[in-house]
């Protein structure tokens, strides 16, 4: 897997079937153009090819007014199937809907999208997948198909204890060599448990 520029949606055009369908839908519906004032970035599993049945397009935005964003989202996206929006106590607006059979989830908070945990997790996960290859990717997808969430699946395969969401962020500071060693140790431990 080659390093990708996730700041633009262009990579989706040349991706797998779901990525191409997602790109076509996002472009046709103008979703990112509508969200432009909020600096949208696509995050999650679809951009890095570890999606499973029912995976959604996660779009991260920035707003200082979660209630205002929820009203905006209702006006722009309220006509889509399954639309819902809510504002959480932590000031995060969440909007969900489906278009062309593709679930979409939009998060808006006062955090710059490129610094959001969702986007940072995706970048770390992409790096790990690039370093560890197709076999590792297949294992992540297998665990996800069994019902495990993405970050816990990575944490299990990398032998990380503690909170998997925090653990994934700690990988940002590790070298490629450290990540490879971590994965090798975790695989040896899993193999010992099987024996």
């Amino acid at each position: 897997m080659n390093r990708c520029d996730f700041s633009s949606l262009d990579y989706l055009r040349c991706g797998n079937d779901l990525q191409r369908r997602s790109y076509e839908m996002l472009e046709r519906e103008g979703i990112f153009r509508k969200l432009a004032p909020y600096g949208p970035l696509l995050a999650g599993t679809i951009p890095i090819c570890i999606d499973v049945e029912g995976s959604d397009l996660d779009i991260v935005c920035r707003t200082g007014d979660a209630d205002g964003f929820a009203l905006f989202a209702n006006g722009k996206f309220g006509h889509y199937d399954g639309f819902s929006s809510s504002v959480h106590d932590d000031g995060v607006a969440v909007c969900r809907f489906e278009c062309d059979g593709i679930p979409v989830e939009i998060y808006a908070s006062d955090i710059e999208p490129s610094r959001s945990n969702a986007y940072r997790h995706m970048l770390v996960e992409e790096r790990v997948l690039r370093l560890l290859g197709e076999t590792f990717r297949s294992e992540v997808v297998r665990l996800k198909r069994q019902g495990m969430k993405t970050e816990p699946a990575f944490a299990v395969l990398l032998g990380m204890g503690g909170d998997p969401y925090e653990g994934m962020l700690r990988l940002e500071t590790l070298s490629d060599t450290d990540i490879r060693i971590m994965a090798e140790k975790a695989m040896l431990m899993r193999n010992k448990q099987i024996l």
Side-chain angles (χ1 to χ4, degrees):
M1 186 182 294
N2 294 327
R3 190 166 278 180
C4 185
D5 175 11
F6 292 107
S7 65
S8 162
L9 297 178
D10 290 340
Y11 67 94
L12 294 174
R13 288 188 302 174
C14 304
N16 64 27
D17 180 59
L18 179 57
Q19 288 175 328
R20 290 191 307 273
R21 284 182 39 234
S22 297
Y23 178 81
E24 290 165 8
M25 180 272 290
L26 291 169
E27 284 296 302
R28 183 185 67 248
E29 300 298 318
I31 291 173
F32 271 63
R33 285 189 299 279
K34 292 172 185 172
L35 291 170
Y38 301 98
L41 285 175
L42 188 60
T45 60
I46 293 173
I48 58 174
C49 301
I50 55 170
D51 52 278
V52 295
E53 184 75 25
S55 290
D56 54 22
L57 289 171
D58 292 321
I59 302 171
V60 187
C61 296
R62 183 175 191 181
T63 184
D65 178 9
D67 291 316
F69 183 88
L71 288 172
F72 163 85
N74 188 53
K76 296 293 183 183
F77 310 116
H79 63 285
Y80 289 111
D81 291 341
F83 177 84
S84 69
S85 71
S86 59
V87 176
H88 298 195
D89 291 339
D90 59 0
V92 176
V94 180
C95 162
R96 294 179 178 92
F97 59 89
E98 189 171 302
C99 185
D100 291 352
I102 302 171
V104 177
E105 194 162 63
I106 303 170
Y107 297 88
S109 72
D110 63 355
I111 297 170
E112 182 64 38
S114 63
R115 297 303 311 150
S116 70
N117 285 349
Y119 192 73
R120 291 169 62 201
H121 283 158
M122 182 189 71
L123 294 181
V124 168
E125 291 158 7
E126 185 273 339
R127 178 178 170 220
V128 170
L129 293 169
R130 200 168 11 88
L131 289 171
L132 302 180
E134 183 60 28
T135 300
F136 187 89
R137 187 195 74 77
S138 296
E139 283 298 298
V140 170
V141 171
R142 181 183 64 78
L143 291 174
K144 286 173 59 60
R145 285 189 175 131
Q146 292 175 354
M148 196 174 283
K149 295 285 189 186
T150 303
E151 288 78 2
F154 273 83
V156 163
L157 294 172
L158 293 171
M160 296 189 308
D163 183 321
Y165 299 91
E166 289 299 319
M168 291 304 294
L169 295 178
R170 285 193 298 273
L171 294 180
E172 289 176 317
T173 61
L174 295 184
S175 70
D176 291 354
T177 301
D178 289 340
I179 291 172
R180 285 189 185 101
I181 290 169
M182 176 186 285
E184 288 170 11
K185 285 181 180 176
M187 186 174 63
L188 288 172
M189 290 301 291
R190 285 194 308 277
N191 289 341
K192 282 182 183 176
Q193 290 172 353
I194 291 171
L195 299 175

